[in-house]
Amino acid sequence: MTRLVQFISLAFAALGFAMPAAALEASDLEGQWYGSGMIASAGEPILWDLILLIDADGVPSGTSNRYRQDGTWEVEDISPGAESLVLNIGTGKVRGSFVVGAGTPVDLTGFQMNSGADLISGANATEDAAAAPSILTFVKRGSDYQDANLEGTWWLYGFYEDFGAGSESAGSILGTLSVDSDAIIQSGSLTYAGQPTPVEIPAGTSLELSGNGAIRVDFQTAETNLSEAIDDTTTAVGVDSTSGFTVGDYVGVGEEFMKIDAIPVGSTSFTVVRGQLGTAATGHADAASVSRADPLGGDLYWRLAGGKTLMIGNSIGWETDGRNRHRLFQWVKSEPGALPVDLAGDWSIAQFEDVSDASDASAAKGELAIDETGSAVTGGSLVFNDATSVTVSGGGIGTTATASVFEIPNLGYEGTADESRVDLALSPDEGVFFGVSSTTGDLSGLLVGVPEPAARLLGVGSLFVIAALRRRSRPRG
C-alpha cells in the first residue's frame, strides 16, 4: 500500500498537481480565537485586538478592543451577525459575520483557514469604496503551553504606524529572535522601513508565556536625567546615573533617539551615536529626561497558536517624542526542511496597503499561482476595494542561506512599471508563510498566506500584504 501511495503521489506531481492537504473538519472552527489587525477608519488607523469565541453551531461571542490614535481603547462586546460562522471543509474558506458593539458588522466571508487549523486570515476588500479597509488574522488557542515551546529562531514580519509630533509614517518591520528553552531571549533585532540600522533586542529579556498562549515581555525599563545641557553634536553625554543601562541600548531624549556605544568605567556618562531610529540630533537642556526605548514597542499583546510555530499580536506605546506607535507582529518559527515545492500551487490572496497613513490605505483580494517546483510566480490578479484591478505578471522565487526563508525579488504587475520584492518565511507543517513586501526598495508591507484547497494564501501588503500558504499533507492528531 505504501508503494501505491508513493506511486500516486509521483503521478500527481508529474501532472503538476499536489496531493490534497489533510482534510479540515467542521469542528476546527469551534473554540477560542485571538485576533490582531488594523483598520483604516476615516483617515485614522486603529489597532485591533479581539477574543472571538465560536460555539459548535458557529455562533460568535467575545470582546473587541480597538486602540485609537489618541491613545484611547474602545472595548466592546461581540455578538452574532446576520449569518453564523461556517467553515467550508473542502476549501478552508470561512463564511459569516459578527457584530461589534452597537452594530458594526465584521464580515469574515472569504477568510481562509490554514491546513494546521490554527490560523484564519483575511482582508476587507468588498469592492465598496466607502468600506474601511482592514486586515485581520486570528490564531486558535491551544493547550499544554510550556516555555520550551518558544525555543528556537523566530522570524518577524510586521507593520507599524506612527502618529503625532507633527509627522506620520508607516511601513514594515523585519526581524529575528533567538529564544532558549527557558523562554529567555538570546539575541534579536528589528529593522524598520526607512531606517537601515537594526534595533537590537537586549539579550536576557524574558518572555512570559501563560497557560492560554498569551505572551508578555518582561522588558526592564531604566530612566535618568541629563547632568548638563548638550548640543546636536555632543557624543559624550553626562547623566545623573547609568544604573540599568547597557551598551547597545537605545535611549530617548526629547524627540531624539540615541544609541549607547559605550559606558566609560567609573563615570556617569554615555558615549552615544546621535539621531537614531529616524530622528534628528538636536540640543537638549540640563535635567532633560533620558529613558531606555523599548525595542518591542511598549504594551504587548501576543498569542502563540495551537500548533506552537506561529505567533501574532501587536504592541502599543507612546514614544519619548510624543508619537503614538501601533505595531502589528507576526512571527513564524524557523523550521529545517521547508522546500520551494512547499510553495507550489494556486493561492487566494488578501492584501492591505498603507504606505504612510490611513488616508492611503486600501485592501485587495485575488489569486496568485506558483509553478509546480515552487521556483516562480506564474501569474495572478488583485481587485481593490475601489474596484480597480491589477494583473500579476510573475517573478522568480529564490532560496536563501537561512532555513525556511525565501525571496521573490521581482514580483511584477502587468501594465505598470511597478515591481515588488517579497521576503518570506514558511512554516510547512502549519501551511503558513509570513513575509514583507516592498515597491520602493524600503520594506513597506506585511504578508501572510494560506493554501486553497491544496494551497491557500492571504495577506496584508504594500503594503501591508498578508499571505499564508501551504499544500503538503499534515498528519492530524
Side-chain angles (χ1 to χ4, degrees):
M1 179 61 72
T2 300
R3 289 189 177 183
L4 177 60
V5 172
Q6 290 174 341
F7 173 78
I8 293 173
S9 299
L10 290 170
F12 268 74
L15 291 171
F17 299 97
M19 292 295 288
L24 295 170
E25 301 171 1
S27 61
D28 288 331
L29 194 59
E30 181 183 356
Q32 186 167 331
W33 295 82
Y34 301 105
S36 183
M38 184 172 286
I39 313 167
S41 175
E44 178 192 352
I46 299 170
L47 205 60
W48 203 3
D49 184 71
L50 304 97
I51 299 176
L52 180 64
L53 306 174
I54 305 175
D55 72 12
D57 296 318
V59 178
S61 61
T63 305
S64 165
N65 300 283
R66 291 182 284 191
Y67 185 71
R68 294 190 171 275
Q69 181 176 335
D70 62 5
T72 61
W73 275 108
E74 194 171 65
V75 181
E76 299 172 294
D77 290 334
I78 291 173
S79 58
E83 181 181 10
S84 295
L85 299 173
V86 177
L87 174 67
N88 184 321
I89 61 175
T91 66
K93 293 287 187 184
V94 174
R95 186 180 75 250
S97 63
F98 58 85
V99 174
V100 172
T104 303
V106 179
D107 189 1
L108 297 188
T109 298
F111 276 50
Q112 188 79 51
M113 180 181 287
N114 70 326
S115 57
D118 63 351
L119 179 140
I120 297 173
S121 186
N124 172 13
T126 60
E127 301 186 21
D128 178 1
S134 62
I135 184 70
L136 185 58
T137 299
F138 295 89
V139 294
K140 192 173 188 177
R141 174 177 173 174
S143 60
D144 192 29
Y145 287 109
Q146 302 175 27
D147 285 347
N149 297 144
L150 298 175
E151 182 180 9
T153 299
W154 295 81
W155 292 96
L156 165 68
Y157 300 88
F159 193 80
Y160 75 94
E161 298 264 9
D162 277 0
F163 312 97
S167 65
E168 298 183 7
S169 61
S172 58
I173 316 167
L174 183 63
T176 184
L177 197 64
S178 177
V179 183
D180 70 11
S181 59
D182 295 319
I184 297 174
I185 295 173
Q186 302 301 297
S187 62
S189 65
L190 308 175
T191 299
Y192 286 86
Q195 302 171 13
T197 303
V199 179
E200 300 300 321
I201 300 172
T205 300
S206 297
L207 299 176
E208 299 177 354
L209 176 62
S210 68
N212 64 1
I215 298 169
R216 304 288 290 177
V217 177
D218 184 19
F219 185 80
Q220 300 300 311
T221 59
E223 296 182 354
T224 187
N225 297 90
L226 294 180
S227 60
E228 57 185 0
I230 60 174
D231 63 22
D232 60 359
T233 64
T234 305
T235 57
V237 176
V239 292
D240 292 342
S241 171
T242 60
S243 176
F245 295 91
T246 61
V247 172
D249 281 349
Y250 289 86
V251 294
V253 185
E255 296 185 5
E256 180 187 357
F257 285 110
M258 310 174 192
K259 184 177 182 180
I260 299 177
D261 202 35
I263 303 177
V265 176
S267 76
T268 52
S269 67
F270 303 136
T271 303
V272 301
V273 181
R274 303 291 300 271
Q276 296 294 289
L277 306 182
T279 63
T282 61
H284 301 283
D286 181 19
S289 176
V290 180
S291 60
R292 177 196 267 171
D294 182 347
L296 292 173
D299 293 333
L300 291 168
Y301 300 86
W302 292 358
R303 301 285 182 170
L304 182 62
K308 303 178 177 69
T309 63
L310 306 170
M311 290 190 290
I312 68 164
N314 55 57
S315 72
I316 54 175
W318 294 89
E319 301 292 3
T320 57
D321 62 356
R323 290 178 299 167
N324 187 1
R325 174 166 283 183
H326 295 186
R327 306 184 191 182
L328 283 175
F329 291 95
Q330 305 202 105
W331 300 89
V332 58
K333 184 182 284 190
S334 181
E335 296 181 65
L339 301 172
V341 71
D342 294 319
L343 300 176
D346 296 324
W347 309 99
S348 160
I349 303 172
Q351 174 171 304
F352 179 89
E353 295 188 350
D354 194 358
V355 294
S356 61
D357 58 52
S359 61
D360 307 305
S362 63
K365 292 182 179 180
E367 298 80 34
L368 189 71
I370 298 177
D371 71 9
E372 66 272 13
T373 65
S375 61
V377 175
T378 57
S381 63
L382 297 172
V383 178
F384 291 83
N385 60 297
D386 63 358
T388 60
S389 61
V390 63
T391 300
V392 177
S393 60
I397 299 176
T399 58
T400 70
T402 304
S404 74
V405 177
F406 302 88
E407 61 185 14
I408 307 174
N410 58 340
L411 187 65
Y413 305 95
E414 290 184 0
T416 76
D418 293 339
E419 281 191 350
S420 291
R421 176 186 173 87
V422 176
D423 297 272
L424 61 94
L426 170 68
S427 174
D429 287 340
E430 288 298 323
V432 170
F433 78 61
F434 294 154
V436 293
S437 65
S438 168
T439 55
T440 63
D442 283 333
L443 303 176
S444 53
L446 169 66
L447 304 128
V448 187
V450 188
E452 70 171 77
R456 327 168 185 146
L457 166 101
L458 300 160
V460 183
S462 164
L463 303 185
F464 195 14
V465 193
I466 210 177
L469 348 130
R470 174 154 194 286
R471 59 178 286 164
R472 293 193 318 177
S473 62
R474 172 180 180 268
R476 298 183 62 83

